[in-house]
Amino acid sequence: MARPEPRSHAVPLALAGSAGMLMPLQALITSNAAGFLGGYFAAALISALTSLACLMVASIALPGARAGWRKFGSVWRERQIPRWFLLAGLVGAYYMVAQAMSVSNIGLALFAVAVVGARTLTSIVIDVIGFSPAGKQPVTRIRILGAALLVVGAVIASWGTGARSAESPLAWASLAVAMGAGLLVSFQQSMNGRAGQAYGSTTTATAINYLASTAGLLIAMAVLALLKIESFGFTSVPLWWMYLAGPLGILFVVTGVTLVPRLGALVLGIGLVTGQLAGSLAMDLILTPEKVGVNEIIGTLVTLLAVLVASWQPNGRPRWKTRKTP
């Protein structure tokens, strides 16, 4: 029997790109909430709390999530996953604080380049050591080329950070914090992926992740309050739009989980990253065009090219389409 024509994935790929654009919007909300609520940790906490509330509702409503919680005890008693996987939640807390701190100091575009670049480099390391649920993956010359392009793109994009430091003394620190978030988030996703396999529910794994994030943020805020660095809790009642940051992050995750069977992890990742980079640059150009330099535009485009190169298949063809079996 002859094979049918390949099935195009233009619509789900466009949806993946749209989902990627949710990340800079979430970062923008968290960043703007920081000054109003009393600090970076307070802004991260409102995002974590709203995410946790949504996930606990989902844990009650979804049969798969309820089954995942029933398996929670046996998973931990039998040590099916290491106990230190709870650190994934602390990585999530760090990422939210990085959003609140970095975007206001270096802009959405440079934040996205730093996170995506560091994240893609770390994903190559994870493939080498076999830390992800997919196990060990080969490192090809094309992926090494992609990694080199990532470094070039990040250097170009960050070239104007020195000029930004004149307006914000925390510019260089914010860039370092953003890169740290990118380096850690790949490990977080791998830990959550393996936890999700053990529980049999992505919702359960994500809810536990946000429980740890919320606990970590509350402890950090208590320490900062004792040191009189940042007040504990919120200095003002959160405005309605501040509660959107958490659901946007969940919608990003749900969209990825929904589309991965249609697109595969590779093409889904390309769509999400394209949306994140393009959306971040577009928002910067719309909201603060005077702060966007040519270097950031070029650096963002080079970073996007690097991600495409690093994701190229060993046979030399990206999986833009899938074929139905006869």
Side-chain angles (χ1 to χ4, degrees):
M1 181 184 294
R3 290 180 182 271
E5 288 299 314
R7 181 161 48 94
S8 173
H9 289 303
V11 173
L13 188 59
L15 290 175
S18 300
M21 291 183 180
L22 297 177
M23 297 308 289
L25 182 57
Q26 180 195 37
L28 185 65
I29 292 172
T30 305
S31 175
N32 287 332
F36 188 86
L37 296 177
Y40 302 132
F41 284 83
L45 181 62
I46 188 67
S47 179
L49 286 173
T50 51
S51 297
L52 180 59
C54 293
L55 286 164
M56 295 312 294
V57 171
S59 294
I60 297 172
L62 300 177
R66 294 198 297 270
W69 280 106
R70 287 193 293 270
K71 291 182 64 176
F72 175 80
S74 61
V75 167
W76 282 86
R77 282 195 306 270
E78 299 169 9
R79 295 182 180 270
Q80 296 180 27
I81 55 175
R83 300 287 174 87
W84 57 269
F85 271 27
L86 283 175
L87 292 176
L90 300 185
V91 173
Y94 173 78
Y95 184 87
M96 287 182 281
V97 173
Q99 282 184 328
M101 175 182 180
S102 301
V103 171
S104 59
N105 293 313
I106 61 176
L108 284 165
L110 187 50
F111 175 77
V113 168
V115 169
V116 169
R119 178 179 174 178
T120 306
L121 289 174
T122 308
S123 69
I124 295 176
V125 176
I126 288 175
D127 282 348
V128 171
I129 64 178
F131 186 69
S132 75
K136 291 186 178 181
Q137 302 293 324
V139 178
T140 61
R141 285 176 291 181
I142 198 70
R143 295 194 73 181
I144 293 174
L145 174 60
L149 282 172
L150 278 171
V151 174
V152 172
V155 169
I156 293 174
S158 62
W159 202 262
T161 306
R164 282 181 180 269
S165 62
E167 300 178 6
S168 174
L170 294 176
W172 283 109
S174 298
L175 181 61
V177 167
M179 292 180 66
L183 290 172
L184 292 173
V185 75
S186 291
F187 286 100
Q188 179 205 30
Q189 289 183 331
S190 294
M191 286 188 280
N192 285 339
R194 291 171 63 177
Q197 286 182 337
Y199 300 128
S201 169
T202 302
T203 302
T204 302
T206 308
I208 293 171
N209 181 84
Y210 275 103
L211 275 170
S213 296
T214 303
L217 287 169
L218 288 172
I219 293 172
M221 290 180 71
V223 172
L224 291 175
L226 288 174
L227 297 175
K228 298 183 178 180
I229 297 175
E230 185 174 309
S231 61
F232 186 83
F234 307 132
T235 56
S236 302
V237 177
L239 301 177
W240 66 269
W241 52 267
M242 297 178 187
Y243 293 100
L244 297 178
L248 282 173
I250 294 175
L251 184 59
F252 173 82
V253 173
V254 170
T255 303
V257 172
T258 304
L259 293 179
V260 73
R262 292 283 306 275
L263 294 175
L266 169 67
V267 179
L268 174 64
I270 291 174
L272 293 174
V273 167
T274 301
Q276 184 177 359
L277 290 171
S280 297
L281 182 58
M283 286 185 191
D284 267 353
L285 288 172
I286 293 171
L287 298 175
T288 55
E290 71 281 356
K291 294 184 178 180
V292 180
V294 176
N295 58 294
E296 289 184 39
I297 298 174
I298 296 174
T300 301
L301 295 176
V302 172
T303 302
L304 178 56
L305 174 63
V307 172
L308 293 171
V309 170
S311 303
W312 203 265
Q313 289 298 288
N315 62 7
R317 292 181 290 114
R319 293 181 297 187
W320 297 109
K321 297 178 180 179
T322 58
R323 293 179 180 272
K324 295 181 180 178
T325 55

